[in-house]
């Protein structure tokens, strides 16, 4: 995978970032792996745009030492408002679930440069007071598990939830939930800005500082705990999350992991400074 990756260490260098657009409508708030061919990775990313005519989805091709190829993807029908996360449906080609900040989910099918909505549904127990910024799907020991997160803000902890998910009916089992906070960033912090789940049940989250549309931003990645399966999906959140890396000057809102690899893709929504993408070693194979 990419030689131009951002290293994941206690204080990683801020090189390796590749811009994918300028201005406040060009950041990405969630990302999923679509395909891989050697060192080239194709992704599908969501944008948290809200107004008519603004792009909701973008295909980004990432390769080392090359400018990312960025291509808008159209949303057939009425576009959603404030998409914050996306993940691929395990075992289903070109199928994804995208999540809005309200907790409304969209099962979508991609056909080239257009996606079509197959079904809309809501997270179980979605609260009007929450702001959902993370969602992940993964087959874990034969069970398809979903994990999602209300981001929290400063003194209000994030809330992680996990449950079994049925891809035939788009329904959830009984969710298990836990609060989650991070020690860093310390100011204007969103404790969870995205979450991803490994095939072994490990949870990785991003956290971000967001003081406003002009920044300055700061982000960190954490190993947040794990889930277990067997009868029900259970959530085991770490009392002291292990920090995997810090990423100054960027607001990371999107994580995606390459299957069976420690390598993954990071995406940012840097508001007036647009969006960027980079590779880093932060995943649990």
């Amino acid at each position: 995978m990419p030689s131009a990756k951002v290293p994941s260490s206690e204080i990683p260098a801020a090189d390796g970032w590749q811009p994918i657009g300028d201005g406040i409508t060009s950041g990405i708030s969630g990302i999923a792996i679509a395909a891989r061919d050697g060192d080239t990775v194709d992704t599908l990313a969501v944008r948290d745009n809200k107004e008519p005519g603004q792009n909701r989805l973008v295909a980004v091709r990432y390769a080392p030492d090359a400018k990312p190829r960025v291509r808008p993807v159209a949303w057939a029908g009425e576009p959603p408002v404030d998409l914050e996360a996306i993940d691929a449906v395990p075992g289903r080609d070109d199928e994804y679930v995208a999540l809005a900040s309200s907790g409304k989910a969209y099962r979508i099918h991609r056909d080239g440069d257009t996606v079509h909505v197959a079904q809309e549904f809501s997270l179980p127990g979605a609260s009007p007071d929450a702001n959902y910024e993370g969602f992940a799907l993964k087959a874990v020991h034969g069970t398809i598990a979903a994990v999602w997160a209300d981001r929290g803000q400063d003194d209000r902890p994030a809330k992680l939830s996990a449950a079994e998910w049925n891809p035939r009916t788009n329904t959830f089992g009984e969710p298990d939930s836990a609060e989650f906070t991070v020690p860093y960033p310390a100011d204007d912090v969103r404790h969870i800005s995205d979450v991803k789940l490994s095939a072994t049940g490990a949870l990785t989250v991003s956290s971000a500082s967001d003081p406003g549309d002009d920044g300055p931003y700061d982000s960190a990645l954490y190993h947040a705990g794990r889930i277990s399966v067997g009868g029900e999906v259970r959530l085991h959140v770490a009392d002291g999350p292990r920090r995997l890396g810090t990423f100054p000057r960027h607001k990371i809102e999107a994580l995606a992991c390459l299957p069976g690899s420690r390598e993954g893709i990071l995406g940012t929504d840097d508001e007036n400074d647009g969006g960027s993408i980079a590779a880093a070693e932060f995943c649990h194979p």
Side-chain angles (χ1 to χ4, degrees):
M1 187 32 193
S3 59
K5 61 193 173 190
V6 176
S8 181
S9 59
E10 186 56 25
I11 305 178
D15 56 3
W17 292 102
Q18 297 277 1
I20 59 166
D22 298 322
I24 200 166
T25 62
S26 296
I28 57 175
S29 52
I31 194 167
I33 303 296
R36 179 184 185 179
D37 183 8
D39 284 345
T40 300
V41 180
D42 286 305
T43 69
L44 183 64
V46 294
R47 287 174 162 159
D48 62 0
N49 293 326
K50 304 170 182 64
E51 300 301 325
Q54 294 177 340
N55 176 235
R56 272 27 178 209
L57 286 161
V58 64
V60 181
R61 173 168 289 178
Y62 180 90
D65 305 316
K67 182 179 179 180
R69 177 185 169 191
V70 182
R71 192 171 73 252
V73 175
W75 187 284
E78 183 71 21
V81 173
D82 201 19
L83 291 176
E84 291 288 354
I86 188 171
D87 212 351
V89 176
R92 307 287 182 97
D93 291 341
D94 299 317
E95 291 193 20
Y96 303 85
V97 172
L99 182 69
S101 61
S102 64
K104 187 174 184 178
Y106 300 84
R107 176 81 173 265
I108 57 176
H109 177 81
R110 181 182 176 188
D111 183 9
D113 287 338
T114 303
V115 300
H116 300 268
V117 178
Q119 188 174 346
E120 300 177 8
F121 55 98
S122 294
L123 297 176
S127 169
D129 298 323
N131 196 318
Y132 297 98
E133 285 209 352
F135 183 80
L137 291 171
K138 200 72 175 180
V140 179
H141 304 307
T143 295
I144 296 183
V147 177
W148 60 95
D150 166 22
R151 73 187 189 190
Q153 181 78 40
D154 296 324
D155 293 337
R156 184 173 72 86
K159 184 179 180 181
L160 271 168
S161 298
E164 185 174 357
W165 184 70
N166 187 329
R168 294 184 300 276
T169 60
N170 298 312
T171 55
F172 297 85
E174 184 67 26
D176 189 23
S177 300
E179 292 185 344
F180 181 84
T181 59
V182 297
Y184 180 90
D187 299 318
D188 303 301
V189 63
R190 299 175 178 181
H191 295 283
I192 297 178
S193 57
D194 201 8
V195 59
K196 279 298 179 281
L197 177 63
S198 80
T200 59
L203 291 166
T204 302
V205 305
S206 56
S207 304
S209 173
D210 184 1
D213 291 345
D214 294 316
Y217 303 115
D218 202 359
S219 299
L221 301 183
Y222 289 90
H223 173 58
R226 62 184 179 87
I227 67 163
S228 59
V229 299
E232 293 182 341
V233 173
R234 305 297 296 175
L235 185 62
H236 310 274
V237 172
D239 290 334
R242 178 166 59 90
R243 189 164 67 189
L244 304 174
T246 55
F247 300 81
R249 296 182 293 280
H250 288 283
K251 179 160 63 89
I252 295 174
E253 291 198 5
L255 308 176
C257 289
L258 296 169
S261 173
R262 290 189 55 81
E263 295 168 324
I265 301 293
L266 305 173
T268 76
D269 182 0
D270 295 327
E271 304 298 345
N272 286 334
D273 286 335
S276 296
I277 195 171
E281 292 185 354
F282 63 89
C283 299
H284 296 264

